[in-house]
Amino acid sequence: FSLKELHGIFPWLVESIFGSLDGIIVGWNLRCLQGRTNPTEYSVALDFLDPSGPMMKLVYKLQAEEYRYDFPVSYLPGPVKASIQEQVLPECSLYHNKVQFPSSGGLGLNLALNPFEYYMFYFAISLITQKNSPVTHHVSPSNSAYFILVDTYLKCFLPTEGSVLPPPSSNPGGAIPSPTPRSPAVPFTSYGMHHTSLLKRHIAHQPSVNADPASQEIWRSETLLQIFVEMWLHHYSLEMYQKMQSPHVKLEVLHYRLSISSKHHGSPAQSSYQALHAYQESFKPTEEHVLVVRLLVKHLHAFSNSLKPEPLSPSAHSHTASPLEEFKRVVIPRFVQEKLYIFLQHCFGHWPLDASFRAVLEMWLSYLQPWRYAPEKPPQSAEPLPRSVSEKWAAFIQENLLMYTKLFVGFLNRALRTDLVSPKNALMVFRVAKVFAQPNLAEMILKGEQLFLEPELVIPHRQHRLFMTPTLGGSFLSSWPATITDASFKVKSHVYSLEGQDFQYKQMFGTEVRNLVLKLAQLICQAQQTAKSISDHSAETMASQSFFSWFRFTPSEMNGSYTGNDLDEIGQDSIKKTDEYLEKALEYLCQIFKLNEAQLTQMMMKCGTAQDENGKKQLPDCIESEDGLILTPLGRYQIINGLRRFEVQYQGDTELQPIRSYENATLVRLLFRLSSVLNERFADQMDVLCSREDFVGRLCRYHLTNPHLIQKIRYSPVVKDGTSQNWGPRISLRFLASYRTLISLLMIYFIASWFYIGPVGCTFIILIGYFLYAVIMTFFCEGWKPHEH
């Protein structure tokens, strides 16, 4: 096709692939396309959208002719959309010289994007807009075509080895020119005093004919990363967006608003807070979204760690370092650090308290451990000892102090509200404790806190300087004076740029956080006791449910009071894993915070005091009052999360308790009437038999009486309808209404019929068997005493 025809087809093709911005058109549904379910479509889609495939060749072909395509501002993330609609240009250079009013004179704003930007905008935002796409089967996000394409684009445009491959060119003269500037249609106030591009000469201000080869090398890399970060990490609250702006920017915006107000005959300008609040969006990231962001974080660590060692001579470094090497040096603090911190804060505060938080947790832990993605390999040793964190990472830890300390406190607050008996929750606590317990890591975090808490020295170079991010002070490539680049100032600059000058820092190794850790340790001890109780109960249940006990015709299960936990269905292996996770997590917490063993022993004893005499069940935390026991807030938490429970048992007549789900209601009522008739007719005979002292008397007392109930009622007689209830020996037939009993009888009759035994003979065999069972149970009673049931 000709370029003119391709220019008209391109927007339709992009929307057909990635879906429409409003989510109505699903497109190819790359997020649900997997190789194991649709191998042909999967491979065709990856080949077509590959960086060297037909689609990208079309992008570069249109890029050479400098075409522009409109992207609605209304579909941008909330904070960016609000600021542009307020005619205040965001700091990101991605939006510079691109905002324009529609030609029809409408109210909607558009971004005029080149083909590469337009393609990547749609590709990135499809992760957000296509949330409600139809899914016919279980989809693993890490195996989808979309996830693979993200990984492919990152490896192509942010290579860890070599340089970015040049785009295929149809021009005989060389490479595709970089994008040209476009005059803004409306006056905008810029958030930054200078441009914020990585390069000292912004690529958008260069003529397309004489494009700088240095900018050509990385303009696609910088654009790709900016789009990914803006689309995936820029959905935090608008109040936070305002707080991020530096004081001189707010003053500049205020002057601009006053000038606009005077132009409109003194009409009051809408306040920034009200304007931004009007565009506030409800952002709920999905697990797939978080997994893609984690992929981005891991690749950026590998990309940044592939930086070549700096030469000894600073002058040689300034002349020989390529733009890609400079890009590796600043890619994390310049593009990711601030927005990822706010994104993680949002997730820590709003994510549901369930096991799906594991995705957010692993993304956070991936960012905290850049050494895992360093090119050097750990030495192979016979013993798998924990790898010590090298001192060379101290600068990264100090410049990301809040990522370690404040988010750790946020995780503590989440862990204190979760059920640690669950294996998945126990695993999350174990993972965090294991990461922070790496040798030398806690000491470096403590050193960073000490640097931040150092009193500010009065240095002449600092008296007029504000704590702000380098994006507001110029290019990242321009170095600061050596006299003020001390470690303390870097830590303070990091903290104040993310949280503001009035931020009250909470020390990770201070008293308040230490008390939270002690509370978590106490909950871990309680969860261990609960898991042990569940394990013991499950073991007893398994031991009692032998082959012959499954056929036992006794109503013993009717008085069970154990309500159980999800671990009952998971099994003994998961209970064992839970105990191992909690034990190791407690050990790691002791290493990190230097907890005293005496304190832990005291907590363990305190957890054990609430157990009953058998040491298996714990009562919820409560206080005694005139009206009885009253639950404390801790007790309510324990009941809600299933950590503890009250001993609740049915203490009335077992024949009159409500019909259970495992019983046939009709049979229960019929058998109750039958047993009542038998008990009334043979009451005297059963009393005589039970009063005998020989073996027959013991047999009758064991199977016809409930001594616990008789002793209880003897001191508190119950009168119903003017007649005393018969609490003496009686026949109980309710066990025959149990579905388990009915299935057992059917199985016996089926086996008997297989051996040509008639119904009469089968019934006789059952009666003989039950009589022998009754005799054996009578002999095995301790001291031949009547059994409770």
Side-chain angles (χ1 to χ4, degrees):
F1 287 87
S2 65
L3 283 176
K4 185 175 181 180
E5 290 175 302
L6 292 176
H7 171 58
I9 291 174
F10 182 66
W12 166 85
L13 181 58
V14 170
E15 190 174 83
S16 300
I17 296 173
F18 301 120
S20 58
L21 296 175
D22 54 13
I24 297 177
I25 301 176
V26 179
W28 290 3
N29 201 9
L30 297 173
R31 294 169 47 250
C32 299
L33 187 61
Q34 292 193 332
R36 62 182 180 83
T37 54
N38 304 96
T40 304
E41 297 178 2
Y42 176 81
S43 59
V44 168
L46 292 183
D47 292 340
F48 186 76
L49 301 177
D50 189 80
S52 58
M55 189 67 186
M56 199 59 70
K57 290 180 181 178
L58 170 61
V59 170
Y60 294 137
K61 192 174 183 180
L62 295 173
Q63 186 84 24
E65 297 300 321
E66 302 178 3
Y67 283 113
R68 291 294 183 270
Y69 301 92
D70 290 339
F71 187 92
V73 171
S74 58
Y75 288 102
L76 293 176
V80 179
K81 172 180 64 178
S83 70
I84 292 179
Q85 291 176 340
E86 282 285 293
Q87 297 186 356
V88 179
L89 198 63
E91 296 173 5
C92 181
S93 60
L94 188 66
Y95 306 105
H96 289 189
N97 302 316
K98 293 184 176 68
V99 184
Q100 61 175 2
F101 278 123
S103 57
S104 59
L107 299 178
L109 293 171
N110 295 315
L111 295 179
L113 305 177
N114 63 51
F116 183 80
E117 293 169 338
Y118 187 80
Y119 173 82
M120 286 301 171
F121 259 84
Y122 263 86
F123 175 76
I125 206 170
S126 64
L127 180 65
I128 311 298
T129 57
Q130 300 294 329
K131 285 184 179 180
N132 299 321
S133 55
V135 179
T136 57
H137 56 275
H138 177 70
V139 176
S140 175
S142 58
N143 294 327
S144 67
Y146 187 89
F147 193 90
I148 301 300
L149 280 174
V150 172
D151 186 46
T152 304
Y153 289 153
L154 289 174
K155 290 178 179 177
C156 175
F157 297 109
L158 300 172
T160 56
E161 296 180 1
S163 58
V164 184
L165 295 177
S169 173
S170 58
N171 297 334
I176 301 297
S178 58
T180 55
R182 185 178 181 89
S183 301
V186 290
F188 273 81
T189 303
S190 175
Y191 271 142
M193 294 183 295
H194 306 283
H195 57 78
T196 58
S197 174
L198 172 69
L199 300 176
K200 295 179 180 179
R201 300 180 303 278
H202 194 284
I203 57 177
H205 296 281
Q206 297 172 3
S208 60
V209 179
N210 300 319
D212 188 358
S215 66
Q216 272 291 338
E217 183 177 349
I218 67 164
W219 77 264
R220 288 174 299 158
S221 304
E222 185 176 357
T223 301
L224 173 85
L225 184 57
Q226 282 183 330
I227 292 174
F228 282 0
V229 171
E230 288 293 308
M231 294 297 106
W232 296 342
L233 299 179
H234 211 152
H235 295 261
Y236 40 80
S237 67
L238 300 169
E239 290 79 6
M240 180 63 71
Y241 185 78
Q242 279 194 310
K243 189 173 73 171
M244 287 169 53
Q245 310 308 322
S246 58
H248 72 275
V249 169
K250 293 180 180 179
L251 184 62
E252 186 179 355
V253 173
L254 178 61
H255 284 305
Y256 172 77
R257 295 187 185 283
L258 291 176
S259 64
I260 294 295
S261 177
S262 62
K263 288 181 182 180
H264 291 280
H265 308 286
S267 60
Q270 188 181 16
S271 67
S272 176
Y273 175 81
Q274 293 176 347
L276 294 180
H277 188 74
Y279 297 103
Q280 189 166 3
E281 62 179 355
S282 176
F283 178 53
K284 298 177 182 178
T286 61
E287 188 173 352
E288 179 187 11
H289 182 176
V290 174
L291 291 175
V292 173
V293 173
R294 187 192 180 206
L295 175 65
L296 173 65
V297 169
K298 291 167 64 176
H299 185 83
L300 290 181
H301 274 319
F303 178 70
S304 179
N305 290 333
S306 65
L307 178 68
K308 297 178 182 178
E310 296 185 10
L312 299 177
S313 172
S315 59
H317 164 71
S318 60
H319 288 86
T320 59
S322 66
L324 187 62
E325 293 298 306
E326 295 292 347
F327 189 45
K328 292 178 181 180
R329 189 184 312 278
V330 300
V331 62
I332 290 181
R334 163 68 178 83
F335 292 97
V336 179
Q337 183 191 67
E338 183 179 52
K339 293 183 175 64
L340 181 63
Y341 169 73
I342 299 172
F343 179 79
L344 283 170
Q345 265 197 318
H346 178 86
C347 291
F348 273 58
H350 296 81
W351 202 276
L353 289 171
D354 57 19
S356 64
F357 185 73
R358 175 78 186 278
V360 180
L361 188 75
E362 294 299 337
M363 177 184 64
W364 173 49
L365 297 180
S366 295
Y367 183 82
L368 298 186
Q369 303 177 86
W371 46 87
R372 290 184 56 190
Y373 312 100
E376 65 268 12
K377 299 294 182 182
Q380 297 293 335
S381 59
E383 298 180 0
L385 298 175
R387 185 184 178 187
S388 178
V389 181
S390 174
E391 287 292 337
K392 74 175 185 178
W393 301 107
F396 178 87
I397 294 171
Q398 293 166 8
E399 294 171 8
N400 292 270
L401 185 63
L402 291 178
M403 286 282 196
Y404 290 88
T405 59
K406 187 174 180 182
L407 292 183
F408 180 81
V409 176
F411 175 77
L412 281 180
N413 291 325
R414 287 186 61 93
L416 291 172
R417 292 178 290 162
T418 55
D419 178 13
L420 298 183
V421 184
S422 171
K424 296 179 180 179
N425 292 334
L427 175 60
M428 287 192 283
V429 176
F430 163 74
R431 288 283 296 122
V432 174
K434 182 180 179 181
V435 168
F436 278 85
Q438 295 178 84
N440 205 30
L441 178 57
E443 289 75 7
M444 286 192 284
I445 297 175
L446 180 61
K447 176 63 176 176
E449 289 192 323
Q450 292 172 350
L451 290 173
F452 173 74
L453 298 174
E454 282 184 4
E456 181 66 19
L457 301 178
V458 181
I459 300 178
H461 296 85
R462 288 196 198 171
Q463 291 178 354
H464 63 282
R465 202 172 170 87
L466 292 173
F467 290 111
M468 57 185 180
T469 58
T471 57
L472 299 178
S475 172
F476 259 94
L477 301 186
S478 58
S479 59
W480 289 354
T483 55
I484 62 173
T485 55
D486 56 281
S488 177
F489 182 76
K490 286 183 178 180
V491 177
K492 294 176 185 289
S493 176
H494 156 71
V495 173
Y496 290 137
S497 63
L498 291 182
E499 293 290 347
Q501 294 281 349
D502 55 348
F503 175 61
Q504 299 296 324
Y505 183 76
K506 183 184 296 184
Q507 299 182 50
M508 178 176 168
F509 295 95
T511 306
E512 186 176 352
V513 177
R514 187 181 180 85
N515 290 334
L516 290 178
V517 174
L518 288 175
K519 287 183 180 179
L520 179 61
Q522 184 178 5
L523 282 180
I524 289 176
C525 295
Q526 293 176 357
Q528 285 180 305
Q529 296 286 352
T530 305
K532 184 177 182 301
S533 172
I534 297 171
S535 177
D536 294 342
H537 179 271
S538 300
E540 291 178 359
T541 304
M542 293 298 296
S544 62
Q545 288 181 350
S546 61
F547 177 78
F548 289 104
S549 65
W550 196 81
F551 295 96
R552 185 178 58 180
F553 305 132
T554 58
S556 57
E557 68 274 5
M558 295 184 180
N559 266 336
S561 63
Y562 185 79
T563 57
N565 188 285
D566 59 347
L567 294 178
D568 290 330
E569 301 177 357
I570 296 174
Q572 290 291 323
D573 292 339
S574 294
I575 297 176
K576 185 177 179 181
K577 287 182 180 179
T578 299
D579 189 62
E580 292 176 356
Y581 290 147
L582 295 177
E583 185 177 356
K584 294 298 292 184
L586 193 58
E587 178 183 340
Y588 288 138
L589 289 175
C590 292
Q591 295 177 11
I592 299 169
F593 293 92
K594 306 295 189 294
L595 297 181
N596 191 356
E597 293 184 3
Q599 289 178 317
L600 295 178
T601 305
Q602 185 179 3
M603 281 192 300
M604 293 291 290
M605 293 177 61
K606 185 178 180 181
C607 292
T609 55
Q611 295 182 337
D612 63 357
E613 57 184 2
N614 294 326
K616 294 180 180 178
K617 292 187 171 68
Q618 302 176 5
L619 295 179
D621 189 67
C622 50
I623 57 176
E624 293 186 2
S625 66
E626 297 178 355
D627 300 327
L629 295 178
I630 298 178
L631 283 173
T632 63
L634 176 60
R636 287 193 291 270
Y637 164 81
Q638 292 167 344
I639 290 180
I640 292 173
N641 291 277
L643 298 178
R644 297 184 183 181
R645 59 182 58 85
F646 286 106
E647 189 74 16
V648 180
Q649 288 187 347
Y650 181 81
Q651 298 180 349
D653 188 357
T654 55
E655 291 293 304
L656 300 177
Q657 61 179 316
I659 298 174
R660 304 303 180 94
S661 59
Y662 53 80
E663 294 177 321
N664 185 289
T666 304
L667 281 178
V668 169
R669 296 185 179 97
L670 291 176
L671 291 172
F672 175 73
R673 293 180 181 178
L674 177 60
S675 61
S676 299
V677 172
L678 293 176
N679 290 329
E680 290 178 3
R681 178 168 298 182
F682 301 104
D684 296 336
Q685 290 85 338
M686 288 189 291
D687 284 333
V688 172
L689 288 173
C690 290
S691 61
R692 296 173 59 173
E693 295 298 331
D694 54 2
F695 174 77
V696 176
R698 296 188 185 98
L699 180 66
C700 293
R701 283 195 295 271
Y702 180 84
H703 294 282
L704 299 178
T705 61
N706 189 338
H708 175 73
L709 187 61
I710 291 177
Q711 185 178 6
K712 177 182 177 183
I713 302 302
R714 183 174 298 168
Y715 298 101
S716 177
V718 178
V719 178
K720 181 179 181 182
D721 297 333
T723 60
S724 298
Q725 294 294 311
N726 180 17
W727 298 109
R730 58 183 178 175
I731 298 173
S732 176
L733 300 176
R734 183 165 177 171
F735 68 92
L736 293 174
S738 171
Y739 289 115
R740 189 175 71 175
T741 304
L742 296 175
I743 293 174
S744 303
L745 293 175
L746 288 175
M747 289 176 59
I748 293 174
Y749 274 101
F750 176 78
I751 296 172
S753 63
W754 182 267
F755 292 98
Y756 301 101
I757 300 176
V760 177
C762 185
T763 304
F764 180 75
I765 292 175
I766 292 175
L767 293 176
I768 293 297
Y770 183 72
F771 176 76
L772 293 176
Y773 168 78
V775 171
I776 293 173
M777 290 301 298
T778 304
F779 270 106
F780 276 91
C781 285
E782 184 179 356
W784 286 2
K785 294 180 181 179
H787 195 270
E788 289 187 1
H789 302 295

